[in-house]
Amino acid sequence: MSQNDEKQQLNNRLDKCRHKLEAAQKRADKAMIFQFETEIKQISKKLAQMNHKDSFDLNKERKALLAMPFIRELTKAEQADQGSLKKSVKGLIIVHPITKIGKQLNLEVMTGFSPIEF
């Protein structure tokens, strides 16, 4: 199971537990209230850990890209023929502004990051 699927599943469980907790509080069922509160805490903790790991990995990737010596925007012609561009420049990484890493880098246009000049 992918990490996004696991996050979605945990969010669904968290939502169900919150609704069940609300119902248990209306009934004043102390045992069920305690059970759902502990489950909510566990699920929230797991989600927080997953989100922290995601942000850590994203920040690590961002730093690696910014450490590359050659960074420049791609022209329209290069964007149209990315395959030949990637073949001609070894180690080229192209980042789109809509992706997570693109948003993290505050990119406006498609940008290439490379260890060699291109």
Side-chain angles (χ1 to χ4, degrees):
M1 178 181 347
S2 74
Q3 191 169 4
N4 285 338
D5 292 341
E6 190 175 350
K7 275 186 184 179
Q8 185 62 47
Q9 203 172 38
L10 286 173
N11 278 321
N12 290 342
R13 277 184 51 205
L14 185 62
D15 193 42
K16 280 183 184 178
C17 287
R18 286 182 177 151
H19 287 296
K20 288 182 179 182
L21 173 64
E22 191 176 303
Q25 286 174 336
K26 287 180 183 177
R27 291 190 314 264
D29 188 353
K30 293 184 184 207
M32 293 304 283
I33 290 172
F34 178 73
Q35 176 186 345
F36 288 125
E37 284 178 346
T38 55
E39 193 169 347
I40 287 171
K41 285 178 188 174
Q42 290 173 348
I43 294 170
S44 297
K45 184 177 178 182
K46 175 97 174 173
L47 278 170
Q49 288 172 343
M50 292 176 82
N51 287 333
H52 178 41
K53 185 181 182 324
D54 281 351
S55 66
F56 177 80
D57 291 343
L58 194 61
N59 194 33
K60 192 168 138 182
E61 185 178 355
R62 181 185 64 84
K63 285 180 182 178
L65 287 175
L66 290 175
M68 288 193 173
F70 297 101
I71 301 168
R72 73 171 174 86
E73 297 176 1
L74 299 179
T75 64
K76 294 292 181 186
E78 289 173 334
Q79 289 178 26
D81 196 14
Q82 290 181 22
S84 65
L85 179 64
K86 283 188 174 184
K87 286 179 185 175
S88 65
V89 181
K90 298 294 180 196
L92 175 68
I93 300 172
I94 298 174
V95 179
H96 197 279
I98 296 177
T99 61
K100 282 184 183 179
I101 189 70
K103 289 178 183 176
Q104 183 81 17
L105 292 167
N106 296 325
L107 297 179
E108 299 289 324
V109 295
M110 287 180 72
T111 307
F113 297 86
S114 175
I116 58 174
E117 191 170 4
F118 64 103

